[in-house]
């Protein structure tokens, strides 16, 4: 079965789960899809364990899932579409109002979280006999610290939190990918290069990746703004928007700038400026098209997140690592938000539920998992590097499984329980603090 066949079947499964959830369930669609795919994966694993499914069939299923290459499917496939679709609906005026908070959370918050997680997990693992090198702990901190814009926009945004909270959490998730990537690549260079990067090299990396991505996105958005504005054909306008996350994303990667950041910037420009120059009918068609694209790709992505479980190997030490990692990432998120708000509150007032919602709503999703799998499979950690204290467990396995557990907890538990916090924030939003 080809990759195309597999994705078509998964899209159909996701649609049927969505229909079932709409008829009988009360969960947000992406949460329901992820939950059902995990349940199906667990059933298949149990049937294999008890001999109802042969090892040959299990291996064929694993090969089928692995053939899709989750990390490539997201990082080099649907990511550009999802980020562009999400950015189209970001209000530029609201973004300007929260520019200081978003910048601080995306830059300082991500840096703090990366090294807090890296240092703490290294210390705790050392105490219990898991000899994971410090640099690997920091790499894990770098890939898990940025919040995932796909998960945030798919779950939290649709709950319609108060404006400032919504803008902060959406804006941070959209812009902290570039920061997280620079941190990750820098630590990677320290870990695997013969010479550590200098301050000037790190600065140039940041300029090329993050600032280069922002600049390229502005240029890309401006070019397509004039092309869309100058067209009188609604269908051609829609086709032009499709070129941004396809051709534009590929060009960004070849220029070695942050293509995800470029998609965010161009999406904000098209969604806030270009829409003013086209007819209401054309703007509605554009909104409907990208809402459809967003829904379909999110459905397949979150279904695949659940099915990826089938491809993993598990050991008892992995469970210990997961039990440590999940609350540690939550603690890191809480401290970064709490400490940031100590400074924020010196200049303006905020909803009293802001820290709780930003902490619990800082979701991790497929992007973190794709980074971990890409790092383990191709970029950083060869499969033959094993933990000295547990020679049957590879570093690849323990980092990917910790990331996977955090992603699943984030989507299923945090995503399904944040509603009450947002409702409470709405109730007090118009009251004096």
């Amino acid at each position: 079965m080809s990759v195309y066949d597999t994705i078509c079947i998964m899209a159909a499964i996701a649609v049927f789960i969505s229909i079932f959830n709409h008829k009988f369930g009360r969960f947000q669609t992406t949460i329901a899809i992820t939950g059902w795919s995990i349940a199906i994966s667990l059933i298949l694993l149990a049937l294999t364990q008890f001999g109802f499914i042969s090892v040959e069939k299990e291996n064929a299923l694993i090969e089928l899932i692995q053939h899709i290459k989750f990390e490539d499917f997201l990082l080099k496939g649907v990511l550009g579409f999802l980020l562009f679709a999400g950015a189209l609906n970001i209000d530029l005026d609201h973004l300007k109002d929260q520019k200081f908070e978003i910048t601080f959370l995306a830059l300082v918050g991500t840096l703090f979280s990366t090294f807090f997680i890296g240092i703490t997990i290294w210390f705790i693992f050392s105490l219990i006999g898991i000899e994971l090198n410090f640099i690997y702990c920091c790499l894990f901190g770098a890939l898990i610290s940025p919040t995932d814009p796909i998960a945030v926009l798919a779950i939290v945004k649709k709950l319609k939190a108060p404006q400032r909270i919504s803008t902060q959490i959406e804006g941070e998730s959209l812009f902290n990918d570039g920061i997280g990537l620079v941190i990750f690549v820098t630590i990677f260079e320290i870990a695997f290069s013969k010479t550590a990067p200098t301050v000037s090299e790190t600065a140039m990396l940041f300029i090329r990746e993050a600032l280069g991505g922002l600049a390229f996105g502005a240029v890309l958005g401006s070019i397509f703004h004039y092309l869309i504005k100058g067209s009188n054909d609604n269908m051609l306008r829609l086709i032009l928007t499709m070129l941004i996350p396809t051709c534009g994303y590929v060009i960004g990667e070849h220029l070695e700038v942050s293509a995800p950041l470029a998609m965010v910037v161009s999406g904000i420009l098209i969604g806030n400026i270009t829409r003013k120059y086209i007819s209401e009918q054309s703007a509605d068609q554009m909104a409907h098209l990208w809402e459809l694209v967003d829904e379909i790709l999110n459905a397949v992505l979150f279904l695949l997140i659940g099915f990826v479980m089938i491809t993993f190997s598990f050991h008892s030490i992995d469970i210990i690592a997961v039990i440590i990692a999940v609350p540690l990432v939550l603690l890191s998120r809480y401290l970064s938000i709490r400490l940031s708000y100590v400074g924020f509150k010196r200049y303006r007032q905020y909803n009293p539920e802001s820290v709780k919602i930003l902490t619990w709503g800082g979701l991790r999703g497929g992007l973190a998992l794709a980074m971990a799998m890409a790092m383990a499979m191709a970029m950083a950690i060869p499969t033959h590097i094993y933990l000295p204290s547990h020679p049957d467990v590879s570093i690849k396995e323990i980092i990917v499984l910790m990331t996977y557990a955090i992603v699943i907890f984030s989507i299923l538990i945090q995503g399904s329980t944040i509603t009450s916090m947002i409702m409470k924030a709405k109730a007090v939003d118009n009251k004096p603090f």
Side-chain angles (χ1 to χ4, degrees):
M1 187 180 293
S2 67
V3 173
Y4 175 77
D5 294 339
T6 305
I7 292 176
C8 287
I9 292 172
M10 287 193 170
I13 294 172
V15 169
F16 283 116
I17 292 175
S18 299
I19 294 172
F20 181 85
N21 182 65
H22 180 72
K23 295 281 187 181
F24 306 105
R26 299 179 180 178
F27 295 102
Q28 202 275 339
T29 303
T30 50
I31 296 174
I33 290 172
T34 306
W36 275 104
S37 61
I38 291 174
I40 294 170
S41 298
L42 290 172
I43 291 171
L44 291 173
L45 290 173
L47 291 175
T48 303
Q49 186 70 26
F50 290 105
F52 293 101
I53 295 179
S54 65
V55 176
E56 291 77 13
K57 289 183 179 179
E58 181 193 20
N59 291 335
L61 183 59
I62 291 173
E63 185 178 349
L64 187 66
I65 300 297
Q66 289 178 334
H67 192 48
I68 297 176
K69 293 185 178 180
F70 177 82
E71 60 275 18
D72 288 342
F73 174 74
L74 178 55
L75 296 176
K76 297 181 180 180
V78 303
L79 179 59
F81 289 90
L82 293 172
L83 290 178
F84 180 76
L88 279 174
N89 296 312
I90 296 294
D91 191 299
L92 188 58
D93 292 331
H94 293 168
L95 203 63
K96 290 178 180 178
D97 178 63
Q98 298 291 301
K99 59 182 180 296
F100 172 75
E101 290 89 340
I102 291 171
T103 302
F104 192 88
L105 290 172
L107 179 57
V108 180
T110 304
L111 275 169
F112 171 85
S113 179
T114 295
F115 292 104
F116 179 83
I117 292 172
I119 294 170
T120 307
I121 208 166
W122 173 79
F123 178 74
I124 295 174
F125 277 11
S126 298
L127 289 179
I128 62 175
I130 302 177
E131 299 175 25
L132 188 61
N133 192 292
F134 177 71
I135 204 70
Y136 292 126
C137 295
C138 289
L139 278 170
F140 171 71
L143 70 89
I144 204 65
S145 290
T147 54
D148 190 322
I150 299 170
V152 169
L153 294 172
I155 297 174
V156 175
K157 183 179 180 179
K158 294 183 179 180
L159 298 176
K160 297 181 179 179
Q163 177 194 312
R164 282 185 176 174
I165 297 176
S166 178
T167 303
Q168 283 182 26
I169 198 166
E170 293 167 23
E172 179 201 6
S173 67
L174 284 168
F175 284 102
N176 66 6
D177 291 328
I179 306 300
L181 177 61
V182 172
I183 297 171
F184 178 86
V185 173
T186 303
I187 297 174
F188 168 71
E189 290 292 331
I190 294 173
F192 298 100
S193 294
K194 294 180 179 179
T195 58
T198 63
V199 174
S200 61
E201 289 173 339
T202 304
M204 287 303 299
L205 177 65
F206 178 82
I207 292 172
R208 189 185 75 236
E209 287 284 349
L211 299 185
L214 295 173
F216 176 65
V219 172
L220 188 67
S222 298
I223 291 172
F224 279 90
H225 163 74
Y226 287 107
L227 290 174
I228 294 169
K229 177 185 172 183
S231 173
N232 294 321
D233 186 284
N234 288 344
M235 186 60 66
L236 180 58
R237 286 171 174 169
L238 297 180
I239 293 172
L240 285 170
T241 63
M242 295 293 292
L243 291 179
I244 297 175
T246 51
C247 181
Y249 195 91
V250 171
I251 293 173
E253 288 194 319
H254 282 285
L255 291 175
E256 296 186 347
V257 300
S258 176
L261 278 179
M263 294 303 101
V264 172
V265 174
S266 57
I268 291 173
L269 288 175
I270 299 298
N272 286 270
I273 299 175
T274 308
R275 276 181 177 173
K276 297 177 181 178
Y277 291 90
I278 59 178
S279 66
E280 184 177 348
Q281 179 187 12
S282 185
D284 289 340
Q285 288 178 347
M286 186 186 299
H288 291 321
L289 169 67
W290 283 101
E291 183 180 2
L292 177 63
V293 171
D294 187 52
E295 289 291 335
I296 292 174
L297 293 181
N298 263 317
V300 176
L301 174 63
F302 282 88
L303 186 78
L304 192 54
I305 288 174
F307 283 153
V308 165
M309 176 189 289
I310 299 174
T311 67
F312 295 151
S313 299
F314 299 89
H315 295 86
S316 58
I317 194 66
D318 297 324
I319 299 175
I320 298 173
V322 164
I323 292 173
I324 294 170
V326 172
L328 175 61
V329 170
L330 278 174
L331 175 62
S332 172
R333 176 69 179 173
Y334 171 76
L335 290 175
S336 66
I337 298 298
R338 185 70 179 178
L339 294 174
S340 297
Y341 263 75
V342 171
F344 294 167
K345 289 181 179 179
R346 294 172 62 91
Y347 302 99
R348 62 168 70 174
Q349 291 182 318
Y350 298 90
N351 190 297
E353 300 297 312
S354 296
V355 173
K356 292 180 183 178
I357 293 175
L358 284 168
T359 299
W360 202 244
L363 305 180
R364 275 73 174 183
L367 193 54
L369 181 59
M371 286 179 63
M373 294 176 71
M375 176 189 71
M377 296 294 290
M379 293 172 58
I381 302 180
T383 56
H384 63 270
I385 298 181
Y386 293 88
L387 297 177
S389 54
H390 299 82
D392 57 333
V393 181
S394 69
I395 295 174
K396 163 193 169 181
E397 175 186 310
I398 201 166
I399 289 181
V400 170
L401 285 178
M402 285 193 299
T403 305
Y404 188 76
I406 291 165
V407 168
I408 296 304
F409 181 89
S410 181
I411 295 171
L412 297 186
I413 307 301
Q414 293 175 236
S416 62
T417 57
I418 197 173
T419 305
S420 59
M421 295 183 186
I422 292 178
M423 295 303 294
K424 188 174 180 181
K426 287 181 179 180
V428 300
D429 194 36
N430 295 322
K431 298 179 181 180
F433 301 143

